[in-house]
Amino acid sequence: MRRLAVLLCAVFLTATAVPAAADTPPDPVPGERPPLGITWGAGSSYCLYQFGEDRVKAAADQLVTSGLRDAGYEYVLLPNCWQAAQRDAEGKLTAGTGYPSGIPALVDYVHARGLKIGFLSGTGERTCGGQAPGSLDHEDLDAQTLAGWGADYLRYDTCSSVNADVPGRVRKMADALRRTGRPITLEVDDTDRNLSPWLWARAAGAQVWRTYKNPTFDFGYSAGSLDKQYGLEGYNGPGGWNMPGAFTFSYLDTGERQAKLGLWAVLNAPLLTDMALAADTTLPAAELGNPDIIAVDRDWAGVPGHKVRDTGWTEVWTKPMSDGSAVLVLFNRGDLAAPITTSVADAGLPAAPGYRVRDLWTGDETETTGALGGTVGRHAATVLRVWPANVTAAPRTSLTAELPDSVPPDRPVTATIRFTNTGSTPVTAAHLQLTAPAEWQFDGPAEASTGTVEPGATWETAVTLHPISTATQPFKMPVVVSYTTVSGARSSAASAESPLLLAPNQPYTNGLLNTQPWMSSENGLGPVERDSTDNGHPLTINGKTDAHGGLGAHAPSVVRYYLGGKCKWFTATVGVDDRGPNGTLGFRVLGDGVELEATGDMRHGDASQYLAVPVTGVQVLALAVDDASDGSAGDWGDWLSPYITC
């Protein structure tokens, strides 16, 4: 199996809603639940999103007309530089030129629609970017000003301050807000540094704190933020929430949006939609407003969501729910569809005769005796809620396809299809239909049928394909099984996917692999780099470099080389690069999919290891970096002087 396979809105809807009230009462306890709402520039506080009241009003109107307000999205949070560049003659914050009606009028507009409003300031004399005044030595005045306007939320950046001073400055503002008598939620935005606010922000009086310093716009950064959350679940809970990043939807496709929202919900993360781009004209209300996802995000059972399994490209996360159910997220961060296996045991559910299962994105309800899993698409997640309860429903099934780690482009390949009935009632009349990938054809029929698949049984069949000519595209074979259950006719779909095994060079003679072309590479963050890492930084392990260079990787990573059975030895020095001071990872050398050598887990500061691996007869050499199953944030690994002897 493949362990390492390996707004800025120009136009908004016109408001037609009747104002809900003249004012919206603030939350009696700030931060009692994770806040939901919209914002601008949450990934950057550098005044990149300067606009005015019309856009804020249009965004508020869209929350109402889209139904998101009624779903729980209540905050409208202004970006940096909403304020004028200088304070007024009395030292007070005033609105910038984009707000000709004034802030009190804007607050009234937002409140009248049953929403809440927030602003941004900072711990220093200036906010991030230096273009707007911060609240240093003006905490009480600014708190009184915000409360007088009717503010409900304050984002507080940590730029323009000395690291050791930040907790005290946050505490000073929290105390000032409290003295106003108006409950105002306080968020700490550790935008440019790693001050670990989860360690001190709650004690300093904040209710929300950023746990990832980079924007989480695209899928790669979102996955990087998820990695940063590993081990932080103990700091999350009513009155104080880890904020892994906002949700900027125009960077993500539908599957990526659903994966991120499901994972953020399991983390009880604030769901703040960042309308930072001109492309963000219409909120994806069907996804953001999913009541099942919001229920997960805002439910607190006393035990936070956490990761229970990590195989490199696939992960399983779970979260207990207050009604005795649990949520499981089967997450595939890879670029190809992959099978993921889990069970109710991973969710910590008690033994029971049966379990009710609800897919929170499709709404499909099934039952299982305990096993869960199936094929999950690229950059996607299956989000399930499971109750220990006997129900009358269709049995849950699992459809997977096993392929080699890579497919030769000019030789036949065999795929093994498995269809498993994990429910308590039979499946009948199962029919398999396959679609050949482009450039391939089946050696036999592209379909098959079977009779009854009993509870707990697996129907397994193998098919062989050969390339019509030398294939050039990744191998992707759609698989569908239609069948009948006690609840009627159903179907299950999957995709069998694997990269092509390309050999762009002749078999090697002696030489450094960092000077040779590879067949393929996959990397956790950015590309694998030759003689550098993390966008051009020198390869350095414990302060030492290597004159022969090497390969810079970020876990989970795999680089494949074609040896053609012509070589005898592979050697390299490996270790955690100094770019990852908190990195934990492991190195593995594989020949034709078989592990030949492994370092075990290594941490930053550990002595480098020298590997000497016999590779006689190996066709394909794979150099893999795993993330030690604790998330891959900061996991930069170096292959120094990677040398092949042929």
Side-chain angles (χ1 to χ4, degrees), residues 571-641:
T571 60
T573 298
V574 298
V576 181
D577 192 273
D578 292 342
R579 293 291 293 172
N582 298 313
T584 54
L585 47 83
F587 296 82
R588 295 189 300 139
V589 180
L590 302 96
D592 299 327
V594 176
E595 185 176 290
L596 305 176
E597 184 68 82
T599 63
D601 293 346
M602 300 180 68
R603 296 180 178 275
H604 181 257
D606 288 352
S608 59
Q609 295 189 34
Y610 178 74
L611 307 180
V613 185
V615 294
T616 299
V618 169
Q619 296 290 317
V620 177
L621 176 72
L623 308 181
V625 182
D626 301 327
D627 67 4
S629 296
D630 63 353
S632 62
D635 283 357
W636 305 100
D638 297 344
W639 301 87
L640 301 182
S641 295

Side-chain angles (χ1 to χ4, degrees), residues 152-176:
D152 306 291
Y153 198 104
L154 176 62
R155 294 168 55 191
Y156 211 45
D157 75 40
T158 60
C159 294
S160 305
S161 57
V162 179
N163 287 359
D165 293 342
V166 172
R169 294 185 181 186
V170 171
R171 163 59 69 186
K172 191 173 181 181
M173 175 54 81
D175 290 343

